[in-house]
Amino acid sequence: MERTRTVAEAGEAGIIAAIRSAAPSSLNGDDAAVLEATASNSRQVCTTDILVQDRHFSFDYSTPFEVGVKAVSQNFADIQAMGARPTALLLGIATPGDIALETITELARGINDAAMPWGAELVGGDVVKSKDLVLSLTALGELGGPAPALTLDGAGVGHRVIASGPIGYSAAGLDILQHFGSRRAVPQDDEILQELVSWHCAPRLAVGRGTTARAAGASSMTDNSDGLVTDLSAIAERSGVRIDLDRVAIAPDERLLHAAERTGIDPWKWVLTGGEDHTLIGTTDARLPSAYRPIGTVRSLDNEDVNAPFVTIDGVRPTYTSGWESL
Protein backbone atom coordinates (compact mmCIF):
# COMPACT_ATOMS: atom_id res chain seq x y z
CA MET A 1 0.00 0.00 0.00
CA GLU A 2 1.31 3.42 -0.95
CA ARG A 3 2.20 5.57 2.06
CA THR A 4 0.08 8.71 2.44
CA ARG A 5 2.04 11.93 1.95
CA THR A 6 1.95 14.54 4.72
CA VAL A 7 1.52 18.25 4.19
CA ALA A 8 5.15 18.77 5.22
CA GLU A 9 6.29 16.43 2.45
CA ALA A 10 3.99 18.08 -0.09
CA GLY A 11 5.09 21.60 0.78
CA GLU A 12 3.09 24.76 0.15
CA ALA A 13 2.95 24.29 -3.61
CA GLY A 14 1.80 20.69 -3.24
CA ILE A 15 -0.89 21.62 -0.72
CA ILE A 16 -2.23 24.40 -2.96
CA ALA A 17 -2.20 22.04 -5.93
CA ALA A 18 -4.16 19.46 -3.95
CA ILE A 19 -6.72 22.07 -2.88
CA ARG A 20 -7.13 23.43 -6.41
CA SER A 21 -7.59 19.90 -7.72
CA ALA A 22 -10.30 19.15 -5.13
CA ALA A 23 -12.00 22.56 -5.50
CA PRO A 24 -11.23 23.74 -9.07
CA SER A 25 -11.85 27.33 -10.15
CA SER A 26 -10.57 29.26 -13.13
CA LEU A 27 -10.38 32.32 -10.86
CA ASN A 28 -7.92 30.70 -8.45
CA GLY A 29 -4.21 30.80 -9.23
CA ASP A 30 -3.15 34.42 -9.64
CA ASP A 31 -2.11 36.96 -7.00
CA ALA A 32 -5.78 37.67 -6.37
CA ALA A 33 -9.16 36.70 -7.79
CA VAL A 34 -11.17 39.22 -9.79
CA LEU A 35 -14.93 38.83 -9.34
CA GLU A 36 -17.41 40.40 -11.74
CA ALA A 37 -20.66 41.89 -10.47
CA THR A 38 -23.55 39.93 -11.96
CA ALA A 39 -26.39 42.32 -11.13
CA SER A 40 -26.88 46.05 -11.59
CA ASN A 41 -26.89 48.21 -8.49
CA SER A 42 -25.23 45.39 -6.55
CA ARG A 43 -23.25 45.55 -3.31
CA GLN A 44 -20.61 43.19 -1.97
CA VAL A 45 -21.20 41.33 1.32
CA CYS A 46 -18.44 39.49 3.18
CA THR A 47 -18.07 37.40 6.33
CA THR A 48 -15.45 35.14 7.88
CA ASP A 49 -15.29 32.32 10.45
CA ILE A 50 -12.43 30.49 12.11
CA LEU A 51 -12.62 26.79 12.97
CA VAL A 52 -10.09 25.28 15.36
CA GLN A 53 -9.66 21.52 15.58
CA ASP A 54 -11.04 20.05 18.84
CA ARG A 55 -12.75 23.37 19.58
CA HIS A 56 -15.16 23.73 16.66
CA PHE A 57 -14.79 20.28 15.11
CA SER A 58 -13.29 16.89 15.90
CA PHE A 59 -12.14 14.19 13.54
CA ASP A 60 -13.34 11.73 16.18
CA TYR A 61 -16.86 12.68 15.09
CA SER A 62 -16.56 14.28 11.64
CA THR A 63 -14.75 13.40 8.45
CA PRO A 64 -12.58 16.09 6.84
CA PHE A 65 -15.14 16.27 4.01
CA GLU A 66 -17.91 17.03 6.53
CA VAL A 67 -15.80 19.72 8.21
CA GLY A 68 -15.46 21.41 4.81
CA VAL A 69 -19.23 21.29 4.30
CA LYS A 70 -19.86 22.68 7.79
CA ALA A 71 -17.41 25.55 7.25
CA VAL A 72 -19.24 26.61 4.10
CA SER A 73 -22.69 26.32 5.68
CA GLN A 74 -21.87 28.56 8.62
CA ASN A 75 -20.38 31.22 6.34
CA PHE A 76 -23.06 31.08 3.68
CA ALA A 77 -25.73 31.28 6.40
CA ASP A 78 -24.32 34.66 7.39
CA ILE A 79 -24.42 35.82 3.77
CA GLN A 80 -27.99 34.56 3.37
CA ALA A 81 -29.05 36.19 6.64
CA MET A 82 -28.27 39.55 5.02
CA GLY A 83 -30.54 38.63 2.11
CA ALA A 84 -27.53 38.24 -0.18
CA ARG A 85 -26.36 35.51 -2.57
CA PRO A 86 -23.02 33.76 -1.86
CA THR A 87 -20.55 34.07 -4.74
CA ALA A 88 -17.05 33.01 -3.65
CA LEU A 89 -14.85 31.65 -0.86
CA LEU A 90 -11.31 32.25 0.39
CA LEU A 91 -9.60 29.62 2.56
CA GLY A 92 -6.78 30.10 5.03
CA ILE A 93 -5.24 26.97 6.56
CA ALA A 94 -2.77 26.75 9.44
CA THR A 95 -1.69 23.11 9.65
CA PRO A 96 0.78 20.85 11.46
CA GLY A 97 3.29 19.29 9.11
CA ASP A 98 2.44 15.71 10.02
CA ILE A 99 -1.21 15.88 8.90
CA ALA A 100 -1.96 13.71 5.88
CA LEU A 101 -2.26 15.70 2.65
CA GLU A 102 -5.41 13.69 1.96
CA THR A 103 -7.04 15.37 4.99
CA ILE A 104 -6.55 18.80 3.41
CA THR A 105 -7.73 17.48 0.05
CA GLU A 106 -10.94 16.12 1.61
CA LEU A 107 -11.54 19.42 3.43
CA ALA A 108 -11.30 21.22 0.11
CA ARG A 109 -13.54 18.67 -1.57
CA GLY A 110 -16.19 19.23 1.11
CA ILE A 111 -15.93 22.98 0.62
CA ASN A 112 -16.32 22.59 -3.13
CA ASP A 113 -19.27 20.22 -2.78
CA ALA A 114 -21.13 22.58 -0.42
CA ALA A 115 -20.43 25.64 -2.58
CA MET A 116 -21.49 24.13 -5.91
CA PRO A 117 -25.29 24.36 -5.43
CA TRP A 118 -24.89 28.12 -4.98
CA GLY A 119 -22.76 28.61 -8.08
CA ALA A 120 -19.92 29.74 -5.80
CA GLU A 121 -16.25 28.73 -5.97
CA LEU A 122 -13.16 28.60 -3.78
CA VAL A 123 -11.08 31.32 -5.46
CA GLY A 124 -7.97 31.62 -3.29
CA GLY A 125 -6.43 31.62 0.16
CA ASP A 126 -3.23 30.87 2.06
CA VAL A 127 -1.43 27.98 3.78
CA VAL A 128 0.97 28.20 6.74
CA LYS A 129 2.54 25.74 9.16
CA SER A 130 1.14 25.68 12.68
CA LYS A 131 1.03 23.63 15.87
CA ASP A 132 -2.76 23.20 15.56
CA LEU A 133 -5.07 22.77 12.59
CA VAL A 134 -7.00 26.01 12.07
CA LEU A 135 -9.28 26.86 9.15
CA SER A 136 -10.31 30.41 8.29
CA LEU A 137 -13.01 30.59 5.65
CA THR A 138 -14.12 33.91 4.18
CA ALA A 139 -17.31 34.07 2.15
CA LEU A 140 -18.20 36.79 -0.34
CA GLY A 141 -21.71 37.56 -1.50
CA GLU A 142 -23.71 39.89 -3.63
CA LEU A 143 -26.69 41.99 -2.65
CA GLY A 144 -28.59 42.87 -5.80
CA GLY A 145 -31.04 45.72 -6.27
CA PRO A 146 -31.87 48.78 -4.17
CA ALA A 147 -33.70 47.06 -1.29
CA PRO A 148 -31.88 47.31 2.05
CA ALA A 149 -29.97 44.37 3.47
CA LEU A 150 -31.64 42.30 6.18
CA THR A 151 -30.11 43.44 9.46
CA LEU A 152 -30.65 42.91 13.19
CA ASP A 153 -32.35 46.23 13.88
CA GLY A 154 -35.46 45.98 11.70
CA ALA A 155 -37.92 44.20 13.98
CA GLY A 156 -41.01 46.18 14.93
CA VAL A 157 -43.88 45.66 17.35
CA GLY A 158 -46.54 43.48 15.71
CA HIS A 159 -44.17 41.82 13.25
CA ARG A 160 -44.25 38.03 12.94
CA VAL A 161 -41.19 36.02 13.93
CA ILE A 162 -40.29 33.52 11.19
CA ALA A 163 -37.93 30.59 10.68
CA SER A 164 -36.79 28.39 7.81
CA GLY A 165 -35.07 25.13 8.72
CA PRO A 166 -34.74 22.84 11.75
CA ILE A 167 -34.07 24.13 15.25
CA GLY A 168 -32.10 22.04 17.75
CA TYR A 169 -30.91 19.33 15.38
CA SER A 170 -27.17 20.11 15.53
CA ALA A 171 -27.11 20.30 19.33
CA ALA A 172 -28.99 17.02 19.52
CA GLY A 173 -26.48 15.45 17.12
CA LEU A 174 -23.55 16.54 19.29
CA ASP A 175 -25.15 15.19 22.46
CA ILE A 176 -25.89 11.89 20.69
CA LEU A 177 -22.22 11.58 19.75
CA GLN A 178 -21.12 12.38 23.28
CA HIS A 179 -23.71 10.00 24.77
CA PHE A 180 -22.55 7.02 22.70
CA GLY A 181 -18.89 8.03 22.80
CA SER A 182 -18.05 7.83 19.10
CA ARG A 183 -19.56 8.06 15.62
CA ARG A 184 -19.17 4.31 15.15
CA ALA A 185 -21.05 3.57 18.39
CA VAL A 186 -24.21 5.43 17.35
CA PRO A 187 -26.70 2.68 16.34
CA GLN A 188 -26.49 2.32 12.58
CA ASP A 189 -30.09 1.09 12.33
CA ASP A 190 -31.50 4.18 14.06
CA GLU A 191 -32.19 6.51 11.13
CA ILE A 192 -33.26 9.41 13.32
CA LEU A 193 -30.09 9.39 15.42
CA GLN A 194 -28.00 9.10 12.26
CA GLU A 195 -29.83 12.04 10.69
CA LEU A 196 -29.25 14.26 13.71
CA VAL A 197 -25.59 13.32 13.90
CA SER A 198 -25.18 14.16 10.22
CA TRP A 199 -26.88 17.51 10.79
CA HIS A 200 -24.30 18.34 13.45
CA CYS A 201 -21.31 17.16 11.43
CA ALA A 202 -22.35 18.57 8.04
CA PRO A 203 -25.39 20.88 8.10
CA ARG A 204 -26.73 21.80 4.65
CA LEU A 205 -28.54 25.01 3.77
CA ALA A 206 -31.46 25.28 1.40
CA VAL A 207 -30.35 27.51 -1.47
CA GLY A 208 -31.94 30.94 -1.76
CA ARG A 209 -33.85 31.17 1.54
CA GLY A 210 -32.28 34.52 2.51
CA THR A 211 -32.84 36.18 -0.85
CA THR A 212 -36.41 34.86 -0.83
CA ALA A 213 -37.07 36.49 2.56
CA ARG A 214 -35.60 39.81 1.41
CA ALA A 215 -37.67 39.77 -1.76
CA ALA A 216 -40.80 39.08 0.28
CA GLY A 217 -40.18 42.10 2.51
CA ALA A 218 -38.68 40.58 5.69
CA SER A 219 -37.68 43.27 8.20
CA SER A 220 -34.77 41.60 10.05
CA MET A 221 -32.85 38.34 9.94
CA THR A 222 -30.02 36.30 11.43
CA ASP A 223 -29.10 32.62 11.51
CA ASN A 224 -29.37 30.22 14.40
CA SER A 225 -25.64 29.78 15.03
CA ASP A 226 -25.29 30.43 18.76
CA GLY A 227 -28.70 29.30 20.03
CA LEU A 228 -32.30 30.36 19.39
CA VAL A 229 -32.67 32.55 22.50
CA THR A 230 -29.21 34.08 22.06
CA ASP A 231 -29.65 34.89 18.38
CA LEU A 232 -33.20 36.22 18.69
CA SER A 233 -32.08 38.28 21.69
CA ALA A 234 -29.58 39.97 19.38
CA ILE A 235 -32.43 41.03 17.06
CA ALA A 236 -34.64 42.10 19.97
CA GLU A 237 -31.91 44.13 21.68
CA ARG A 238 -30.81 45.88 18.49
CA SER A 239 -34.43 46.62 17.58
CA GLY A 240 -35.52 47.69 21.07
CA VAL A 241 -38.30 45.12 21.27
CA ARG A 242 -39.24 41.82 22.90
CA ILE A 243 -39.65 38.64 20.89
CA ASP A 244 -42.38 36.34 22.21
CA LEU A 245 -42.11 32.81 20.86
CA ASP A 246 -45.08 30.48 20.42
CA ARG A 247 -44.39 27.39 22.53
CA VAL A 248 -46.34 25.09 20.22
CA ALA A 249 -44.57 26.43 17.11
CA ILE A 250 -41.08 25.74 18.48
CA ALA A 251 -41.85 22.55 20.44
CA PRO A 252 -39.38 19.67 19.90
CA ASP A 253 -40.46 17.55 16.94
CA GLU A 254 -40.62 13.75 16.79
CA ARG A 255 -36.92 13.46 15.92
CA LEU A 256 -35.82 15.46 18.93
CA LEU A 257 -38.25 13.61 21.19
CA HIS A 258 -36.82 10.30 19.99
CA ALA A 259 -33.25 11.48 20.63
CA ALA A 260 -34.26 12.73 24.07
CA GLU A 261 -35.64 9.30 24.91
CA ARG A 262 -32.37 7.66 23.84
CA THR A 263 -30.07 10.11 25.65
CA GLY A 264 -32.11 11.26 28.67
CA ILE A 265 -31.57 14.93 27.76
CA ASP A 266 -34.34 17.54 27.83
CA PRO A 267 -35.05 18.34 24.15
CA TRP A 268 -36.04 21.92 25.03
CA LYS A 269 -32.39 22.53 25.86
CA TRP A 270 -31.51 21.73 22.23
CA VAL A 271 -34.27 23.95 20.86
CA LEU A 272 -33.52 26.98 23.00
CA THR A 273 -29.73 26.92 23.40
CA GLY A 274 -28.37 24.71 20.62
CA GLY A 275 -26.65 26.53 17.78
CA GLU A 276 -25.03 25.53 14.49
CA ASP A 277 -28.30 24.62 12.79
CA HIS A 278 -27.82 27.80 10.74
CA THR A 279 -31.57 27.99 10.32
CA LEU A 280 -32.61 31.46 9.16
CA ILE A 281 -34.71 33.30 11.75
CA GLY A 282 -36.11 36.79 11.48
CA THR A 283 -39.16 39.04 11.45
CA THR A 284 -41.61 40.38 8.89
CA ASP A 285 -44.60 42.68 8.63
CA ALA A 286 -45.26 41.51 5.08
CA ARG A 287 -46.41 38.22 3.60
CA LEU A 288 -44.86 34.99 4.87
CA PRO A 289 -41.88 34.15 2.64
CA SER A 290 -41.95 30.80 0.85
CA ALA A 291 -40.54 27.91 2.95
CA TYR A 292 -40.79 29.93 6.19
CA ARG A 293 -43.06 29.28 9.17
CA PRO A 294 -44.27 31.65 11.91
CA ILE A 295 -42.82 30.95 15.36
CA GLY A 296 -43.78 34.03 17.37
CA THR A 297 -44.62 37.72 17.53
CA VAL A 298 -42.66 40.90 18.21
CA ARG A 299 -43.92 42.66 21.35
CA SER A 300 -43.10 45.86 23.21
CA LEU A 301 -40.12 45.71 25.57
CA ASP A 302 -40.69 46.60 29.21
CA ASN A 303 -38.27 49.51 29.40
CA GLU A 304 -39.01 50.10 33.08
CA ASP A 305 -37.61 46.71 34.09
CA VAL A 306 -33.85 46.59 33.46
CA ASN A 307 -33.96 42.81 33.88
CA ALA A 308 -36.81 42.27 31.42
CA PRO A 309 -35.95 39.44 29.00
CA PHE A 310 -35.58 40.16 25.30
CA VAL A 311 -37.05 36.75 24.46
CA THR A 312 -40.05 35.08 26.10
CA ILE A 313 -42.13 31.98 25.38
CA ASP A 314 -45.87 32.55 25.66
CA GLY A 315 -44.97 35.62 27.73
CA VAL A 316 -42.72 33.75 30.18
CA ARG A 317 -38.93 33.84 30.52
CA PRO A 318 -37.39 30.72 28.88
CA THR A 319 -36.15 27.88 31.06
CA TYR A 320 -32.89 27.78 29.13
CA THR A 321 -31.20 31.00 28.01
CA SER A 322 -27.52 30.21 27.46
CA GLY A 323 -25.86 29.76 24.09
CA TRP A 324 -22.52 29.15 22.38
CA GLU A 325 -19.63 31.38 23.46
CA SER A 326 -16.66 31.66 21.10
CA LEU A 327 -14.22 32.70 23.84
Side-chain angles (χ1 to χ4, degrees):
M1 180 180 295
E2 183 180 351
R3 186 175 66 86
T4 302
R5 278 203 303 170
T6 66
V7 296
E9 292 169 333
E12 182 178 2
I15 296 170
I16 293 173
I19 292 172
R20 291 186 63 194
S21 176
S25 171
S26 60
L27 300 174
N28 190 357
D30 215 311
D31 290 322
V34 178
L35 308 179
E36 298 290 342
T38 60
S40 61
N41 194 23
S42 65
R43 287 156 286 170
Q44 287 292 316
V45 180
C46 58
T47 185
T48 190
D49 272 304
I50 295 174
L51 291 87
V52 180
Q53 185 177 4
D54 297 327
R55 167 67 173 167
H56 302 99
F57 66 91
S58 170
F59 289 140
D60 290 338
Y61 295 156
S62 306
T63 66
F65 179 91
E66 289 174 326
V67 173
V69 170
K70 186 172 188 173
V72 172
S73 292
Q74 67 184 50
N75 275 273
F76 279 7
D78 287 337
I79 297 290
Q80 282 274 277
M82 303 300 293
R85 179 181 67 85
T87 56
L89 291 157
L90 298 168
L91 173 64
I93 300 180
T95 176
D98 59 356
I99 282 185
L101 180 60
E102 183 181 1
T103 297
I104 305 302
T105 301
E106 283 298 294
L107 283 167
R109 197 168 69 84
I111 289 171
N112 185 65
D113 190 78
M116 283 180 63
W118 305 81
E121 297 178 350
L122 180 62
V123 299
D126 193 20
V127 178
V128 297
K129 189 175 180 179
S130 170
K131 178 182 177 182
D132 301 306
L133 179 61
V134 180
L135 310 176
S136 177
L137 199 63
T138 297
L140 305 177
E142 190 173 75
L143 196 68
L150 299 178
T151 55
L152 297 171
D153 57 1
V157 175
H159 291 191
R160 285 184 293 180
V161 184
I162 57 175
S164 179
I167 297 174
Y169 280 23
S170 178
L174 177 58
D175 277 342
I176 290 165
L177 286 166
Q178 293 176 338
H179 175 79
F180 287 97
S182 70
R183 186 79 172 266
R184 184 187 297 265
V186 178
Q188 296 296 311
D189 60 351
D190 193 319
E191 295 182 1
I192 291 177
L193 297 187
Q194 291 294 331
E195 177 184 355
L196 295 174
V197 165
S198 293
W199 194 265
H200 171 73
C201 294
R204 296 271 188 170
L205 304 178
V207 174
R209 294 287 172 86
T211 50
T212 296
R214 178 168 172 256
S219 54
S220 69
M221 186 151 286
T222 188
D223 74 296
N224 182 23
S225 56
D226 296 328
L228 185 64
V229 173
T230 296
D231 291 317
L232 284 178
S233 291
I235 289 179
E237 183 174 8
R238 289 282 295 274
S239 299
V241 297
R242 171 172 61 93
I243 287 178
D244 188 38
L245 296 170
D246 182 338
R247 185 178 182 86
V248 173
I250 64 169
D253 65 15
E254 67 279 359
R255 292 175 177 82
L256 296 183
L257 292 175
H258 174 78
E261 186 177 334
R262 296 297 304 267
T263 62
I265 297 172
D266 184 355
W268 279 99
K269 179 174 178 288
W270 298 328
V271 169
L272 297 177
T273 71
E276 294 193 329
D277 288 315
H278 302 300
T279 285
L280 294 181
I281 49 178
T283 61
T284 185
D285 63 347
R287 70 184 187 274
L288 190 69
S290 175
Y292 283 78
R293 64 190 183 278
I295 62 170
T297 306
V298 181
R299 308 289 189 187
S300 297
L301 181 65
D302 184 355
N303 293 310
E304 296 183 0
D305 182 1
V306 295
N307 296 315
F310 285 107
V311 175
T312 56
I313 302 175
D314 290 348
V316 178
R317 186 186 298 269
T319 305
Y320 301 103
T321 59
S322 64
W324 168 258
E325 293 285 347
S326 295
L327 299 177

